[in-house]
Amino acid sequence: MLLKSIPKVDKFITNKAFEGLAKSLITKISKEQIAKLRVDILENKVDSIDEKLLINLVLKEYENISSSSLKTLINATGVIVHTNLGRSLLDKSSLEKAINIASSYNNLEYNLEKGQRGERYEHITKSLKELLGCEDALVVNNNASAVFLILNTFCKNKEVIVSRGELVEIGGSFRVPEVMSQSGAILKEIGTTNKTHLRDYENAIDENSAMLLKVHKSNYEIVGFSSEVSFEDISKLAKNKNIIDYYDMGSGHINELPYNLSKDEPSIKELMKSNPSLLSFSGDKLLGSVQAGIIVGKKELIDKIKKNQLLRMLRVDKITLALLEDTINLYIKNDLDKIPTLKMLNTSLEVLKHRALNLQKSLENSLETKVYESKTVVGGGTTPNKTIPTIVLSLDYKDFKANKIEEILREKLIICRIENDKAILDFRTIKEEDLEILEKKLKEIFKNG
Ligand SMILES: *Cc1c(COP(=O)(O)O)cnc(C)c1O
């Protein structure tokens, strides 16, 4: 009997509630929901038809499908360059410039002086040369593609000499030996896992060698009885032997870093002093810009890379170039506060503590909290095994376990960290402008004390 009163799709979709919505999508969802209702009736799961409920289900699903799946959230993990959470943030002022470029015609590949076709990479090359004093530069989709492009250009069917301690796997799908074989290069491993000496490089060079490659270890560190050769020494040796020296820096930072982070990791500016053939690094790790792979080095070599057809497949859009150019200009103007990654890294403990205590005070009546100093990491394979100090606020609520609190916060788009069985908010990565929203959300979540 109930089956007979199931709404007909044709009529159902004319309901006022669906006015102004995409008809084809509403029809598709309505069909699905009505079919489901039919099954529920047959299985005796419902004993009446509530058309209002049905309409609401359709509207909810419509909203679900048509709203954006990418969402903003609050990173309270303390990990600044968090690949799962979008790596480096961009300042809105940089984005405004990119919006202007992208929503307007522009001189991306047009030479305004000559009134003819220009070069896409010229704009960013100019800024990078100014900042780093390199002969030339090139930008591709990400650092993984920079590595691939370089190996494919110079080392196809030729040997690339790499230390066994540097044959790393980085986040998911980037494994040095595999990237190398796909690029056509022949891997020549030298040294041992824990120790590689300059003489290992020297002994390995023969007439088939094209390159000495150094790879930043990024996500691990060999401690104890270990040694590696500095890029400076590798670079010198390569020049003596007339082959290419190339350092895949992974993250790569421009200036010195706080907390002694750059003690064992020279900055790009520092490395440029040894006049390297080629360096590459990511745009969205410590540099603090957009996703990109940046190649700097000798003009003669970069000219050859530009002739590789692969470059066309790895090329970046005007939006990337506009954003990257803006970041590089911020470095040139020493306006580093507009680079969120560096701003977070450089915020003092006093400031973080002040913010944590403020939040603690406002949550007094909602839940139990403690503010204390802890440690976090930069992330993104930037400075493996090194920690930086931070300020955290631990959350205790009734007899809830830490992972329960973590889950509740995650539902409200706050991603926290669990440390010593406590859910904690790390202030290193909570943006200043998000503090108010965070307070509001926490009060709402834990309102009944
Ligand atoms: C992160 C990293 C890469 C990959 O860089 P993406 O910009 O993520 O493509 C390559 N090599 C090293 C050493 C890295 O740390």
Side-chain angles (χ1 to χ4, degrees):
M1 214 38 233
L2 216 47
L3 281 176
K4 279 201 178 136
S5 36
I6 289 179
K8 300 272 171 298
V9 176
D10 291 352
K11 177 144 186 297
F12 179 73
I13 59 167
T14 59
N15 193 293
K16 256 199 148 77
F18 302 138
E19 245 173 42
L21 303 181
K23 195 175 166 198
S24 57
L25 183 54
I26 287 293
T27 309
K28 177 174 164 269
I29 301 169
S30 299
K31 275 184 187 160
E32 286 164 5
Q33 292 297 336
I34 289 171
K36 212 164 139 235
L37 179 65
R38 181 182 304 277
V39 172
D40 284 350
I41 292 170
L42 288 171
E43 292 176 356
N44 289 321
K45 282 186 191 151
V46 289
D47 50 18
S48 67
I49 291 172
D50 183 345
E51 184 151 329
K52 233 186 182 151
L53 182 75
L54 196 61
I55 289 169
N56 280 337
L57 282 171
V58 171
L59 286 175
K60 209 171 146 206
E61 183 62 12
Y62 182 91
E63 171 67 18
N64 226 345
I65 293 174
S66 61
S67 70
S68 128
S69 165
L70 267 174
K71 295 177 171 62
T72 59
L73 48 78
I74 292 177
N75 175 8
T77 66
V79 181
I80 301 174
V81 183
H82 199 309
T83 298
N84 300 153
L85 306 185
R87 282 203 186 158
S88 281
L89 310 186
L90 296 162
D91 193 78
K92 291 209 167 123
S93 64
S94 299
L95 284 157
E96 264 160 34
K97 285 180 195 153
I99 289 170
N100 274 338
I101 294 295
S103 60
S104 174
Y105 288 109
N106 53 70
N107 62 338
L108 179 65
E109 288 188 3
Y110 186 71
N111 185 320
L112 281 170
E113 268 166 39
K114 295 184 186 151
Q116 61 192 36
R117 189 177 197 286
E119 233 242 77
R120 171 178 294 252
Y121 301 103
E122 197 173 41
H123 317 281
I124 192 68
T125 302
K126 210 171 114 212
S127 323
L128 282 165
K129 274 179 168 172
E130 181 60 41
L131 178 67
L132 299 172
C134 50
E135 273 184 22
D136 207 354
L138 190 57
V139 173
V140 288
N141 184 52
N142 54 15
N143 187 36
S145 48
V147 176
F148 190 84
L149 181 62
I150 289 173
L151 292 173
N152 181 266
T153 305
F154 301 107
C155 310
K156 217 170 169 187
N157 301 319
K158 291 193 189 135
E159 281 170 8
V160 179
I161 298 168
V162 194
S163 159
R164 289 201 166 86
E166 295 171 5
L167 295 173
V168 293
E169 171 174 319
I170 292 149
S173 51
F174 186 88
R175 306 178 102 191
V176 172
E178 280 163 35
V179 171
M180 209 171 268
S181 77
Q182 281 205 12
S183 74
I186 304 164
L187 168 64
K188 192 167 191 180
E189 303 175 30
I190 56 159
T192 59
T193 306
N194 56 331
K195 279 203 173 208
T196 301
H197 306 281
L198 189 60
R199 62 171 185 276
D200 294 324
Y201 286 93
E202 209 161 355
N203 293 338
I205 299 174
D206 61 29
E207 68 285 349
N208 203 25
S209 313
M211 176 183 283
L212 300 186
L213 166 65
K214 187 172 175 64
V215 182
H216 187 273
K217 286 197 280 292
S218 294
N219 46 15
Y220 87 117
E221 194 179 27
I222 302 176
V223 292
F225 188 63
S226 68
S227 67
E228 60 177 296
V229 184
S230 72
F231 180 65
E232 204 183 338
D233 288 342
I234 291 175
S235 182
K236 254 188 228 153
L237 175 64
K239 282 190 193 92
N240 272 335
K241 303 284 183 178
N242 226 352
I243 58 177
I244 298 168
D245 53 290
Y246 165 38
Y247 186 11
D248 168 15
M249 295 184 72
S251 182
H253 50 284
I254 302 288
N255 302 314
E256 287 289 295
L257 301 171
Y259 306 112
N260 230 352
L261 284 174
S262 35
K263 185 166 76 75
D264 306 314
E265 301 206 22
S267 65
I268 302 168
K269 272 188 183 162
E270 197 59 37
L271 284 169
M272 287 313 295
K273 289 183 189 157
S274 58
N275 204 12
S277 299
L278 293 167
L279 296 180
S280 76
F281 49 94
S282 297
D284 55 355
K285 290 185 180 173
L286 265 178
L287 187 75
S289 189
V290 67
Q291 178 189 304
I294 299 155
I295 304 171
V296 299
K298 296 259 170 287
K299 181 169 190 315
E300 178 202 345
L301 297 176
I302 288 180
D303 278 344
K304 280 194 184 141
I305 300 174
K306 284 184 183 163
K307 294 204 180 90
N308 190 332
Q309 283 295 309
L310 262 178
L311 177 62
R312 179 63 177 77
M313 295 153 224
L314 305 174
R315 86 171 185 194
V316 288
D317 182 49
K318 56 191 171 295
I319 298 181
T320 299
L321 287 169
L323 290 169
L324 192 59
E325 186 184 29
D326 192 65
T327 308
I328 300 300
N329 285 339
L330 290 173
Y331 277 102
I332 291 173
K333 292 183 285 190
N334 205 22
D335 200 355
L336 303 184
D337 254 13
K338 289 220 184 80
I339 301 176
T341 299
L342 295 186
K343 195 175 167 189
M344 284 180 194
L345 189 59
N346 288 315
T347 308
S348 72
L349 284 181
E350 289 76 56
V351 170
L352 297 183
K353 191 164 184 182
H354 180 74
R355 292 176 189 169
L357 290 172
N358 269 348
L359 183 63
Q360 179 176 49
K361 193 148 180 252
S362 68
L363 294 174
E364 250 166 16
N365 302 320
S366 314
L367 73 173
E368 225 177 281
T369 61
K370 254 192 210 126
V371 172
Y372 53 92
E373 191 177 326
S374 184
K375 287 182 159 51
T376 185
V377 294
V378 179
T382 54
T383 45
N385 265 353
K386 296 216 175 71
T387 57
I388 57 172
T390 189
I391 298 289
V392 301
L393 176 103
S394 67
L395 304 172
D396 266 305
Y397 185 70
K398 296 182 177 166
D399 58 351
F400 284 29
K401 292 234 160 44
N403 55 7
K404 179 77 190 162
I405 295 180
E406 185 275 337
E407 194 184 312
I408 296 171
L409 294 188
R410 178 153 40 87
E411 267 167 32
K412 299 289 176 199
L413 302 173
I414 302 165
I415 313 298
C416 72
R417 168 167 106 226
I418 295 178
E419 193 174 276
N420 301 326
D421 290 329
K422 291 244 182 268
I424 57 165
L425 301 174
D426 189 322
F427 282 75
R428 182 64 66 191
T429 48
I430 301 172
K431 295 193 297 173
E432 191 180 0
E433 56 269 41
D434 279 350
L435 288 166
E436 223 170 289
I437 308 166
L438 177 63
E439 178 188 324
K440 221 170 113 195
K441 282 189 175 194
L442 289 170
K443 275 187 177 159
E444 190 150 322
I445 297 169
F446 301 106
K447 61 184 159 221
N448 32 21

